[in-house]
Amino acid sequence: MNIRFVCNGKPTEVETPPMARLLDVLREDLRLTGSKEGCGEGECGACTVRIDGLTVMSCLVPVYQVHGTVVQTIEGLAADILHPVQAAMLAHGGAQCGICTPGLCMSAAALLESDPTPSREAIRVALAGNLCRCTGYQKVIDAVAGSLVEDR
Amino acid sequence: MSIGTSPPRRDGPDKLTGRALYADDLRPDGMLYGATVRSERAHARILSVRPDPEFDWNGITVLTAADLPGPNVVTLMTDDQPILADGLVRHVTEPIALIAAPTRERALAAAKAVLVEYEDLPALLDPLTAEGHAIRIFGDDNVYKRIRIQRGERSTLTGHLVRARYATGLQEQLYIEPQSMIASPRPDGGIALVGSMQCPYYVDRAVKRMVGHDRVNVLQAVTGGGFGGKEEYPSILACHATLLAMRTGRPVKITYRRDEDLRCTTKRHPAVIDLATLVSDEGKLLELHAKLWMDGGAYHTLSTVVLSRAILHVGGPYRCPFVDLSGTVVATHTPPNGAFRGFGAPQAQWAMERHMDRVARTLHLDPIELRRRNLYRDGDITGTGQVLVAPGGFAVLESAERAAEAPVTRTTVRPGVTGARMAAGRGLALAWHGCGFTGNGEAKIKGKVGLEVRGSDVAILSSSTDIGQGTETIFPMIVGETLGIPAARAFNTPHDTGLVPDSGPTVASRTAMVVGGTCQKAAEQLLTLLRSRLGDGSFDALVSRWDPNWGPLAVEETYEVDPNIQWDPDTYQGDAYPTFGWSCVIVDLRVDLDTGEVLYDRVVTSTDVGRALSPALAAGQIEGGTLQALGWATAEEVVLDARGCMRNDRLTNYIIPTALDAPEMITILEEIPYAGGPFGAKGIGEIPMDAPAAAVAQAIERATGAILDTLPMTPERVFSALEPR
């Protein structure tokens, strides 16, 4: 099936079975390997991307569902300079092994668009679908909270 | 200069933008996908392995033990684990055959189409009856190792005898990146490996022995967490991928699916610990008797060393004039257990800290005052006869208690849960953790680091990997500081065994302290080399005057063990560790009295790190380890079926903490310098695993009166222990 969508700002066309996982199309067909597979069943959030602004686990999305949509992956979050969330994660030590980091950044960026001044509790809720085994989340939450302070 | 500051991590930008390439992100030209056929039985004879004639085998390669070019052994400590089962399986999920196929889907389908016929044999799954059991797994008596430490004089005083049994369960490391490895044929007939791993030289040795030649190199890809789970296990994937690459002549990638990874990779050893103490009226420990059993699983892996560290830590950070500590690690027909952050010490100290609470209860003493009366002081002697220099127990206790006076700012809620009856409590626990290898371990390893001046930069050559903890950032800081140049001008080269010396494995809280110390010595050696020709001057000035005819500006340094460290591995007496880290944890939590669920509000940790080379990285290690310990305490339970196979092999039912479950953390870094570490640094990677679970248990007890001596303290266990109200 021919699937057309906008991926990270670029018109994109792939020929693929309609039920192929969006994650596989991104990683294998488009070689956008920043979205990671940690579990393959929507629990870990390492494959988080945005479809028309909404955060989704790309391992759970059949690719036909993105036909005609705008998809953003971690590769499209920042252009030349880091997104404020990425910059804050770097400054606060929010990334360690890094495998969950792209997904966390996508969820955090989406949160800040809908709620520019979230409480720490709201940040925890927004990131609860992104498992991290390295950080204990403390510096991740510091970073997301801090990315606001530095913006003001 | 940079030591003591927190510059952004070197690998941060690539990781944050998705540019960092992990093993599964790589796809060399012509690559095939590997899959593994695994035992469905705990203990059985393999009668036949044959391809299903109904399946389309076109383009698919199948290998079994008969196809091995060399010894059928995964090289580690003991030659008991086969690369592929040959005629007999000793645990469920044991590898029997390997598949290579053009796509991952085809590989997985083909693995299911390999038909294995078994003849079941009686299986031994219970570690407490394994020793000397008629069903033999290992040696004459199924015992991988027994250790006994006795020291001191029996007490002549009468006192209170307090005894109890404590237990801990399996725990999965749960690195978010599953195990992954790619083997590629080299033009010279050798094999190049790239994969997710902690210890490239473990893999290097295992593959070289299997193939019987040295044309092998192993490169660490960016690695998505390890926690011990990628210490020894990657050697198995590497051997498997190599066999398939040799047979097919093409690169082969093996990436485990999460459920496969959960079922078949190593876990934290479950333990049962019996403690008996004689305690004076004033609450002074007079005698400590410990008996500890661990389940090693079907193969030895690192079990003897895990047992060793457990026994060496079971007394906790407390002085006791008489100790009799013994432990046994046994074989069972279950998937082998292995390295996991803490390496036996968390299990042992869970027991001792719970026991201190039991002693306090028995004597009607405050549990923290009891700890204070027994904490090691300067010059005290441990159970191995080691004289402690500047132990940090009191320092971390006092700073943690001070920090915990701050109001708790978070009240964790469960979205959608209202009207719950809650009971709040606070708990405190202490721990110590030996830094680096036990005893004379470093003398055997002789870890090496190379430095090379390349233009205006300095290349650091080591096999110490960055698995998230920050090696790529810390080593350049140490070298830069020593040479007097910005850290940004030093860099770690790729960790490829074809290019870097063996620095020893990335384990045991040794990387910053031991290998970092070797980086410092190497930088000093480089300065000495420059000054031997050119006299005094800054590094840059000397380098600019170096005549290439004098030879390359490169040095290699080997770690030298402090000659004052004396250790007798036969009697287990002497200096067990070059130094110890110390930790105090204070947990504020609430217990849902209707469900038994524990909600964490805040955790204060104070940890003696010697010197925080990068405070942000050090705190990151401690915060992450603390949450991993809280998961072990109340959430993470591995449930085995009757074959010893993990039933909850998914992230939907093996539960690790989310951002919502995690408490707010206050992280205090105490700095009691260790003269043998770079700029005073001690190892810190594992100590955060030691104390939190016991602090949680004490807090639950204070909140509800429920006494729990078994981990994990799942809602079901907590609920069952609650007094009926």
Side-chain angles (χ1 to χ4, degrees), chain B residues 537-552:
Chain B
S538 74
F539 176 75
D540 284 338
L542 296 175
V543 168
S544 68
R545 288 160 49 208
W546 183 262
D547 182 342
N549 293 321
W550 297 339

mmCIF file with all atom_site columns, all heavy atoms in Angstrom, chain B residues 537-552:
data_model
loop_
_atom_site.group_PDB
_atom_site.id
_atom_site.type_symbol
_atom_site.label_atom_id
_atom_site.label_alt_id
_atom_site.label_comp_id
_atom_site.label_asym_id
_atom_site.label_entity_id
_atom_site.label_seq_id
_atom_site.pdbx_PDB_ins_code
_atom_site.Cartn_x
_atom_site.Cartn_y
_atom_site.Cartn_z
_atom_site.occupancy
_atom_site.B_iso_or_equiv
_atom_site.pdbx_formal_charge
_atom_site.auth_seq_id
_atom_site.auth_comp_id
_atom_site.auth_asym_id
_atom_site.auth_atom_id
_atom_site.pdbx_PDB_model_num
ATOM 1   N N   . GLY B 1 537 ? 57.421 22.792 32.142 1.00 0.00 ? 537 GLY B N   1
ATOM 2   C CA  . GLY B 1 537 ? 56.643 23.597 31.208 1.00 0.00 ? 537 GLY B CA  1
ATOM 3   C C   . GLY B 1 537 ? 55.226 23.069 31.164 1.00 0.00 ? 537 GLY B C   1
ATOM 4   O O   . GLY B 1 537 ? 54.953 21.976 31.662 1.00 0.00 ? 537 GLY B O   1
ATOM 5   N N   . SER B 1 538 ? 54.343 23.866 30.574 1.00 0.00 ? 538 SER B N   1
ATOM 6   C CA  . SER B 1 538 ? 52.955 23.420 30.469 1.00 0.00 ? 538 SER B CA  1
ATOM 7   C C   . SER B 1 538 ? 52.878 22.282 29.450 1.00 0.00 ? 538 SER B C   1
ATOM 8   O O   . SER B 1 538 ? 53.770 22.131 28.595 1.00 0.00 ? 538 SER B O   1
ATOM 9   C CB  . SER B 1 538 ? 52.054 24.571 30.022 1.00 0.00 ? 538 SER B CB  1
ATOM 10  O OG  . SER B 1 538 ? 52.267 24.833 28.654 1.00 0.00 ? 538 SER B OG  1
ATOM 11  N N   . PHE B 1 539 ? 51.823 21.507 29.542 1.00 0.00 ? 539 PHE B N   1
ATOM 12  C CA  . PHE B 1 539 ? 51.631 20.389 28.625 1.00 0.00 ? 539 PHE B CA  1
ATOM 13  C C   . PHE B 1 539 ? 51.711 20.864 27.181 1.00 0.00 ? 539 PHE B C   1
ATOM 14  O O   . PHE B 1 539 ? 52.437 20.293 26.356 1.00 0.00 ? 539 PHE B O   1
ATOM 15  C CB  . PHE B 1 539 ? 50.280 19.728 28.912 1.00 0.00 ? 539 PHE B CB  1
ATOM 16  C CG  . PHE B 1 539 ? 49.933 18.618 27.967 1.00 0.00 ? 539 PHE B CG  1
ATOM 17  C CD1 . PHE B 1 539 ? 50.550 17.382 28.058 1.00 0.00 ? 539 PHE B CD1 1
ATOM 18  C CD2 . PHE B 1 539 ? 48.974 18.813 26.972 1.00 0.00 ? 539 PHE B CD2 1
ATOM 19  C CE1 . PHE B 1 539 ? 50.228 16.355 27.177 1.00 0.00 ? 539 PHE B CE1 1
ATOM 20  C CE2 . PHE B 1 539 ? 48.643 17.790 26.097 1.00 0.00 ? 539 PHE B CE2 1
ATOM 21  C CZ  . PHE B 1 539 ? 49.273 16.566 26.203 1.00 0.00 ? 539 PHE B CZ  1
ATOM 22  N N   . ASP B 1 540 ? 50.987 21.935 26.859 1.00 0.00 ? 540 ASP B N   1
ATOM 23  C CA  . ASP B 1 540 ? 50.966 22.413 25.471 1.00 0.00 ? 540 ASP B CA  1
ATOM 24  C C   . ASP B 1 540 ? 52.355 22.859 25.008 1.00 0.00 ? 540 ASP B C   1
ATOM 25  O O   . ASP B 1 540 ? 52.775 22.566 23.880 1.00 0.00 ? 540 ASP B O   1
ATOM 26  C CB  . ASP B 1 540 ? 49.966 23.568 25.317 1.00 0.00 ? 540 ASP B CB  1
ATOM 27  C CG  . ASP B 1 540 ? 48.534 23.066 25.305 1.00 0.00 ? 540 ASP B CG  1
ATOM 28  O OD1 . ASP B 1 540 ? 48.329 21.873 24.993 1.00 0.00 ? 540 ASP B OD1 1
ATOM 29  O OD2 . ASP B 1 540 ? 47.624 23.851 25.615 1.00 0.00 ? 540 ASP B OD2 1
ATOM 30  N N   . ALA B 1 541 ? 53.056 23.569 25.885 1.00 0.00 ? 541 ALA B N   1
ATOM 31  C CA  . ALA B 1 541 ? 54.388 24.050 25.511 1.00 0.00 ? 541 ALA B CA  1
ATOM 32  C C   . ALA B 1 541 ? 55.319 22.868 25.261 1.00 0.00 ? 541 ALA B C   1
ATOM 33  O O   . ALA B 1 541 ? 56.094 22.860 24.288 1.00 0.00 ? 541 ALA B O   1
ATOM 34  C CB  . ALA B 1 541 ? 54.944 24.951 26.611 1.00 0.00 ? 541 ALA B CB  1
ATOM 35  N N   . LEU B 1 542 ? 55.229 21.856 26.108 1.00 0.00 ? 542 LEU B N   1
ATOM 36  C CA  . LEU B 1 542 ? 56.108 20.697 25.944 1.00 0.00 ? 542 LEU B CA  1
ATOM 37  C C   . LEU B 1 542 ? 55.756 19.918 24.676 1.00 0.00 ? 542 LEU B C   1
ATOM 38  O O   . LEU B 1 542 ? 56.638 19.500 23.924 1.00 0.00 ? 542 LEU B O   1
ATOM 39  C CB  . LEU B 1 542 ? 56.014 19.792 27.173 1.00 0.00 ? 542 LEU B CB  1
ATOM 40  C CG  . LEU B 1 542 ? 56.500 20.417 28.497 1.00 0.00 ? 542 LEU B CG  1
ATOM 41  C CD1 . LEU B 1 542 ? 56.250 19.473 29.660 1.00 0.00 ? 542 LEU B CD1 1
ATOM 42  C CD2 . LEU B 1 542 ? 57.985 20.770 28.413 1.00 0.00 ? 542 LEU B CD2 1
ATOM 43  N N   . VAL B 1 543 ? 54.477 19.744 24.437 1.00 0.00 ? 543 VAL B N   1
ATOM 44  C CA  . VAL B 1 543 ? 54.053 18.983 23.250 1.00 0.00 ? 543 VAL B CA  1
ATOM 45  C C   . VAL B 1 543 ? 54.538 19.692 21.981 1.00 0.00 ? 543 VAL B C   1
ATOM 46  O O   . VAL B 1 543 ? 54.994 19.052 21.022 1.00 0.00 ? 543 VAL B O   1
ATOM 47  C CB  . VAL B 1 543 ? 52.516 18.801 23.235 1.00 0.00 ? 543 VAL B CB  1
ATOM 48  C CG1 . VAL B 1 543 ? 52.032 18.291 21.887 1.00 0.00 ? 543 VAL B CG1 1
ATOM 49  C CG2 . VAL B 1 543 ? 52.088 17.843 24.343 1.00 0.00 ? 543 VAL B CG2 1
ATOM 50  N N   . SER B 1 544 ? 54.454 21.027 21.983 1.00 0.00 ? 544 SER B N   1
ATOM 51  C CA  . SER B 1 544 ? 54.847 21.764 20.768 1.00 0.00 ? 544 SER B CA  1
ATOM 52  C C   . SER B 1 544 ? 56.345 21.613 20.484 1.00 0.00 ? 544 SER B C   1
ATOM 53  O O   . SER B 1 544 ? 56.780 21.767 19.358 1.00 0.00 ? 544 SER B O   1
ATOM 54  C CB  . SER B 1 544 ? 54.471 23.245 20.915 1.00 0.00 ? 544 SER B CB  1
ATOM 55  O OG  . SER B 1 544 ? 55.288 23.842 21.915 1.00 0.00 ? 544 SER B OG  1
ATOM 56  N N   . ARG B 1 545 ? 57.122 21.288 21.525 1.00 0.00 ? 545 ARG B N   1
ATOM 57  C CA  . ARG B 1 545 ? 58.567 21.155 21.325 1.00 0.00 ? 545 ARG B CA  1
ATOM 58  C C   . ARG B 1 545 ? 58.997 19.697 21.172 1.00 0.00 ? 545 ARG B C   1
ATOM 59  O O   . ARG B 1 545 ? 60.190 19.404 21.073 1.00 0.00 ? 545 ARG B O   1
ATOM 60  C CB  . ARG B 1 545 ? 59.305 21.805 22.506 1.00 0.00 ? 545 ARG B CB  1
ATOM 61  C CG  . ARG B 1 545 ? 59.219 23.340 22.470 1.00 0.00 ? 545 ARG B CG  1
ATOM 62  C CD  . ARG B 1 545 ? 59.491 23.958 23.844 1.00 0.00 ? 545 ARG B CD  1
ATOM 63  N NE  . ARG B 1 545 ? 60.709 23.428 24.461 1.00 0.00 ? 545 ARG B NE  1
ATOM 64  C CZ  . ARG B 1 545 ? 60.910 23.340 25.783 1.00 0.00 ? 545 ARG B CZ  1
ATOM 65  N NH1 . ARG B 1 545 ? 59.973 23.731 26.625 1.00 0.00 ? 545 ARG B NH1 1
ATOM 66  N NH2 . ARG B 1 545 ? 62.043 22.859 26.245 1.00 0.00 ? 545 ARG B NH2 1
ATOM 67  N N   . TRP B 1 546 ? 58.044 18.775 21.227 1.00 0.00 ? 546 TRP B N   1
ATOM 68  C CA  . TRP B 1 546 ? 58.390 17.349 21.125 1.00 0.00 ? 546 TRP B CA  1
ATOM 69  C C   . TRP B 1 546 ? 58.869 17.015 19.709 1.00 0.00 ? 546 TRP B C   1
ATOM 70  O O   . TRP B 1 546 ? 58.209 17.329 18.724 1.00 0.00 ? 546 TRP B O   1
ATOM 71  C CB  . TRP B 1 546 ? 57.172 16.484 21.488 1.00 0.00 ? 546 TRP B CB  1
ATOM 72  C CG  . TRP B 1 546 ? 57.473 15.007 21.481 1.00 0.00 ? 546 TRP B CG  1
ATOM 73  C CD1 . TRP B 1 546 ? 57.225 14.132 20.470 1.00 0.00 ? 546 TRP B CD1 1
ATOM 74  C CD2 . TRP B 1 546 ? 58.069 14.249 22.520 1.00 0.00 ? 546 TRP B CD2 1
ATOM 75  N NE1 . TRP B 1 546 ? 57.623 12.871 20.821 1.00 0.00 ? 546 TRP B NE1 1
ATOM 76  C CE2 . TRP B 1 546 ? 58.167 12.905 22.083 1.00 0.00 ? 546 TRP B CE2 1
ATOM 77  C CE3 . TRP B 1 546 ? 58.560 14.562 23.811 1.00 0.00 ? 546 TRP B CE3 1
ATOM 78  C CZ2 . TRP B 1 546 ? 58.702 11.882 22.872 1.00 0.00 ? 546 TRP B CZ2 1
ATOM 79  C CZ3 . TRP B 1 546 ? 59.077 13.543 24.585 1.00 0.00 ? 546 TRP B CZ3 1
ATOM 80  C CH2 . TRP B 1 546 ? 59.151 12.228 24.114 1.00 0.00 ? 546 TRP B CH2 1
ATOM 81  N N   . ASP B 1 547 ? 59.999 16.388 19.595 1.00 0.00 ? 547 ASP B N   1
ATOM 82  C CA  . ASP B 1 547 ? 60.542 15.984 18.296 1.00 0.00 ? 547 ASP B CA  1
ATOM 83  C C   . ASP B 1 547 ? 60.032 14.583 17.969 1.00 0.00 ? 547 ASP B C   1
ATOM 84  O O   . ASP B 1 547 ? 60.299 13.639 18.715 1.00 0.00 ? 547 ASP B O   1
ATOM 85  C CB  . ASP B 1 547 ? 62.076 15.976 18.397 1.00 0.00 ? 547 ASP B CB  1
ATOM 86  C CG  . ASP B 1 547 ? 62.724 15.602 17.064 1.00 0.00 ? 547 ASP B CG  1
ATOM 87  O OD1 . ASP B 1 547 ? 62.027 15.035 16.199 1.00 0.00 ? 547 ASP B OD1 1
ATOM 88  O OD2 . ASP B 1 547 ? 63.929 15.889 16.916 1.00 0.00 ? 547 ASP B OD2 1
ATOM 89  N N   . PRO B 1 548 ? 59.285 14.429 16.871 1.00 0.00 ? 548 PRO B N   1
ATOM 90  C CA  . PRO B 1 548 ? 58.716 13.111 16.540 1.00 0.00 ? 548 PRO B CA  1
ATOM 91  C C   . PRO B 1 548 ? 59.778 12.019 16.441 1.00 0.00 ? 548 PRO B C   1
ATOM 92  O O   . PRO B 1 548 ? 59.472 10.839 16.594 1.00 0.00 ? 548 PRO B O   1
ATOM 93  C CB  . PRO B 1 548 ? 58.034 13.348 15.194 1.00 0.00 ? 548 PRO B CB  1
ATOM 94  C CG  . PRO B 1 548 ? 57.802 14.810 15.112 1.00 0.00 ? 548 PRO B CG  1
ATOM 95  C CD  . PRO B 1 548 ? 58.893 15.470 15.900 1.00 0.00 ? 548 PRO B CD  1
ATOM 96  N N   . ASN B 1 549 ? 61.032 12.414 16.201 1.00 0.00 ? 549 ASN B N   1
ATOM 97  C CA  . ASN B 1 549 ? 62.088 11.402 16.134 1.00 0.00 ? 549 ASN B CA  1
ATOM 98  C C   . ASN B 1 549 ? 62.322 10.730 17.488 1.00 0.00 ? 549 ASN B C   1
ATOM 99  O O   . ASN B 1 549 ? 62.977 9.692  17.559 1.00 0.00 ? 549 ASN B O   1
ATOM 100 C CB  . ASN B 1 549 ? 63.402 12.037 15.649 1.00 0.00 ? 549 ASN B CB  1
ATOM 101 C CG  . ASN B 1 549 ? 63.268 12.491 14.209 1.00 0.00 ? 549 ASN B CG  1
ATOM 102 O OD1 . ASN B 1 549 ? 62.645 11.810 13.398 1.00 0.00 ? 549 ASN B OD1 1
ATOM 103 N ND2 . ASN B 1 549 ? 63.817 13.651 13.899 1.00 0.00 ? 549 ASN B ND2 1
ATOM 104 N N   . TRP B 1 550 ? 61.847 11.373 18.542 1.00 0.00 ? 550 TRP B N   1
ATOM 105 C CA  . TRP B 1 550 ? 61.993 10.761 19.872 1.00 0.00 ? 550 TRP B CA  1
ATOM 106 C C   . TRP B 1 550 ? 60.984 9.627  20.080 1.00 0.00 ? 550 TRP B C   1
ATOM 107 O O   . TRP B 1 550 ? 61.024 8.939  21.083 1.00 0.00 ? 550 TRP B O   1
ATOM 108 C CB  . TRP B 1 550 ? 61.801 11.814 20.967 1.00 0.00 ? 550 TRP B CB  1
ATOM 109 C CG  . TRP B 1 550 ? 62.842 12.913 20.950 1.00 0.00 ? 550 TRP B CG  1
ATOM 110 C CD1 . TRP B 1 550 ? 64.068 12.839 20.380 1.00 0.00 ? 550 TRP B CD1 1
ATOM 111 C CD2 . TRP B 1 550 ? 62.726 14.217 21.496 1.00 0.00 ? 550 TRP B CD2 1
ATOM 112 N NE1 . TRP B 1 550 ? 64.742 14.018 20.542 1.00 0.00 ? 550 TRP B NE1 1
ATOM 113 C CE2 . TRP B 1 550 ? 63.938 14.901 21.231 1.00 0.00 ? 550 TRP B CE2 1
ATOM 114 C CE3 . TRP B 1 550 ? 61.717 14.907 22.196 1.00 0.00 ? 550 TRP B CE3 1
ATOM 115 C CZ2 . TRP B 1 550 ? 64.163 16.202 21.638 1.00 0.00 ? 550 TRP B CZ2 1
ATOM 116 C CZ3 . TRP B 1 550 ? 61.953 16.203 22.598 1.00 0.00 ? 550 TRP B CZ3 1
ATOM 117 C CH2 . TRP B 1 550 ? 63.167 16.861 22.320 1.00 0.00 ? 550 TRP B CH2 1
ATOM 118 N N   . GLY B 1 551 ? 60.075 9.487  19.131 1.00 0.00 ? 551 GLY B N   1
ATOM 119 C CA  . GLY B 1 551 ? 59.062 8.430  19.268 1.00 0.00 ? 551 GLY B CA  1
ATOM 120 C C   . GLY B 1 551 ? 57.686 9.033  19.456 1.00 0.00 ? 551 GLY B C   1
ATOM 121 O O   . GLY B 1 551 ? 57.547 10.257 19.550 1.00 0.00 ? 551 GLY B O   1
ATOM 122 N N   . PRO B 1 552 ? 56.686 8.203  19.430 1.00 0.00 ? 552 PRO B N   1
ATOM 123 C CA  . PRO B 1 552 ? 55.313 8.705  19.552 1.00 0.00 ? 552 PRO B CA  1
ATOM 124 C C   . PRO B 1 552 ? 55.039 9.218  20.967 1.00 0.00 ? 552 PRO B C   1
ATOM 125 O O   . PRO B 1 552 ? 55.624 8.714  21.930 1.00 0.00 ? 552 PRO B O   1
ATOM 126 C CB  . PRO B 1 552 ? 54.449 7.481  19.235 1.00 0.00 ? 552 PRO B CB  1
ATOM 127 C CG  . PRO B 1 552 ? 55.309 6.311  19.585 1.00 0.00 ? 552 PRO B CG  1
ATOM 128 C CD  . PRO B 1 552 ? 56.741 6.737  19.349 1.00 0.00 ? 552 PRO B CD  1
#
